[in-house]
Amino acid sequence: MEIKEAELGLPLGYLMGQLDLFELPFSAFAMRSDYWIGLALSWIAQMERGSYGELLSGVVDAKWVSQRNRQKALKLLSDKYSA
């Protein structure tokens, strides 16, 4: 990313500063891609899950999401409420 910033004449770290990492899992869900949902679930597992309860419930209920990812979301939800 630093190379792209330099090519564009931007200060280092500028592009990362423009990303709202909290919103990233929501964007992945909106893409309706099981691949991106899997990535988002990995990110959520490393973040504060309390903010993602509604999103995780949506993943669990979404029929287009693979069973594997729905089970991951269910586990994250159950871990959130048992902690």
Side-chain angles (χ1 to χ4, degrees), residues 4 8 12 15 17 39 44 64:
K4 291 295 181 192
L8 295 171
L12 293 180
L15 293 175
L39 292 175
I44 291 171
W64 57 268

Side-chain angles (χ1 to χ4, degrees), residues 2-81:
E2 292 175 0
I3 293 171
K4 291 295 181 192
E5 290 171 332
E7 288 175 4
L8 295 171
L10 299 171
L12 293 180
Y14 176 80
L15 293 175
M16 284 302 292
Q18 301 305 305
L19 294 174
D20 183 355
L21 295 180
F22 175 79
E23 292 295 325
L24 206 50
F26 294 100
S27 297
F29 185 73
M31 293 176 70
R32 293 185 60 94
S33 163
D34 194 59
Y35 171 77
W36 284 105
I37 288 295
L39 292 175
L41 293 173
S42 297
W43 302 329
I44 291 171
Q46 299 173 39
M47 301 164 86
E48 176 57 45
R49 281 170 256 180
S51 305
Y52 296 103
E54 190 173 325
L55 175 68
L56 291 170
S57 293
V59 171
V60 170
D61 295 335
K63 299 301 180 202
W64 57 268
V65 174
S66 69
Q67 182 168 349
R68 180 177 187 214
N69 281 335
R70 284 185 281 154
Q71 288 174 342
K72 284 182 188 178
L74 188 60
K75 181 174 182 345
L76 289 170
L77 268 174
S78 65
D79 289 350
K80 172 189 152 195
Y81 292 116

